[in-house]
Amino acid sequence: MRVLVLCFGCLLATVAAVEYVEIDTGILLDDETKWKMLFNCLMGRGPCDGFEAIKDTLPKLVKSQCQGCTPEQKEKFEKTLKQFLERYPADYKELSNKFLPKPY
């Protein structure tokens, strides 16, 4: 579960590898409408207008355990994670169930 949180936090906190994207976490977490659009996109429940890069990147980050994150991004992660868990705990649970590998 921690891997998803770390990787999702790094994604939202600006993942900087060549194939990854920069994201303003304040906008996504502070604007509930935009957050729900992103969440529905990630869960396959709605369109991904403008969020395609995030949807494509998140599984790669989970698989790589966020190896492309810089120390600065990991610092931003702490802030992002706290906001994410405080504001959207049910969404966190659903994202964890979808993106974390299941034990055999």
Side-chain angles (χ1 to χ4, degrees):
M1 196 177 326
R2 182 113 173 111
V3 171
L4 175 65
V5 173
L6 176 61
C7 291
F8 188 70
C10 287
L11 173 67
L12 289 179
T14 313
V15 177
V18 174
E19 63 192 88
Y20 298 154
V21 295
E22 288 197 20
I23 300 161
D24 184 341
T25 59
I27 291 173
L28 289 177
L29 292 175
D30 290 340
D31 185 330
E32 188 170 351
T33 301
K34 286 184 181 182
W35 167 253
K36 287 298 178 189
M37 288 174 59
L38 171 59
F39 177 74
N40 287 330
C41 165
L42 291 172
M43 295 303 294
R45 298 180 189 153
C48 291
D49 300 334
F51 298 119
E52 294 87 359
I54 298 172
K55 185 175 183 178
D56 292 342
T57 302
L58 185 60
K60 294 174 191 175
L61 289 173
V62 171
K63 185 175 181 179
S64 73
Q65 297 185 14
C66 205
Q67 291 176 351
C69 294
T70 66
E72 293 82 17
Q73 291 163 340
K74 289 179 182 180
E75 183 178 325
K76 287 182 180 181
F77 153 75
E78 295 297 330
K79 179 181 177 185
T80 303
L81 174 61
K82 182 179 177 186
Q83 290 174 332
F84 177 52
L85 290 174
E86 286 174 356
R87 294 179 188 181
Y88 307 107
D91 294 351
Y92 167 77
K93 183 176 180 181
E94 283 192 66
L95 285 169
S96 295
N97 289 336
K98 180 171 181 158
F99 288 104
L100 283 176
K102 308 293 184 265
Y104 294 100

